[in-house]
């Protein structure tokens, strides 16, 4: 895989179902996170057309890494 194709993969857009699978959560949990503003960034093309970029899902995971259960 070349660097250019890796960069394109980071900007690939996933459906809510695909993004939830990527994060190992349910689509409903991801929808609730979106409604409360606690989830990853997303793109809204229309009210029913929501997409998540792979890049944003990875950044969300990185931002939520914890070392122990005492961390917020």
């Amino acid at each position: 895989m070349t660097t250019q194709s890796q960069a394109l993969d980071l900007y690939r857009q996933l459906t809510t179902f695909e993004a939830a699978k990527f994060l190992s959560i349910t689509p409903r949990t991801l929808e609730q996170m979106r409604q409360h503003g606690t989830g990853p960034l997303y793109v809204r093309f229309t009210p029913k057309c929501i997409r998540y970029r792979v890049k944003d899902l990875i950044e969300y995971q990185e931002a939520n890494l914890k070392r122990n259960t005492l961390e917020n």
Side-chain angles (χ1 to χ4, degrees):
M1 187 180 280
T2 66
T3 303
Q4 184 177 10
S5 64
Q6 287 174 333
L8 288 175
D9 282 346
L10 289 175
Y11 286 89
R12 188 166 55 99
Q13 297 176 3
L14 306 179
T15 64
T16 298
F17 180 82
E18 293 167 329
K21 187 173 180 179
F22 182 91
L23 295 173
S24 300
I25 59 176
T26 67
R28 181 67 186 136
T29 297
L30 187 54
E31 290 168 359
Q32 290 173 337
M33 292 165 69
R34 186 171 65 233
Q35 290 170 352
H36 293 112
T38 59
L41 294 174
Y42 61 94
V43 179
R44 180 189 309 251
F45 293 105
T46 67
K48 292 190 178 198
C49 184
I50 306 292
R51 296 293 183 265
Y52 293 86
R53 298 183 306 182
V54 171
K55 170 187 177 294
D56 296 323
L57 298 174
I58 293 169
E59 288 175 3
Y60 178 79
Q61 287 177 320
E62 294 293 322
N64 287 285
L65 288 175
K66 306 293 183 216
R67 291 194 183 278
N68 61 57
T69 57
L70 299 176
E71 291 184 49
N72 289 336

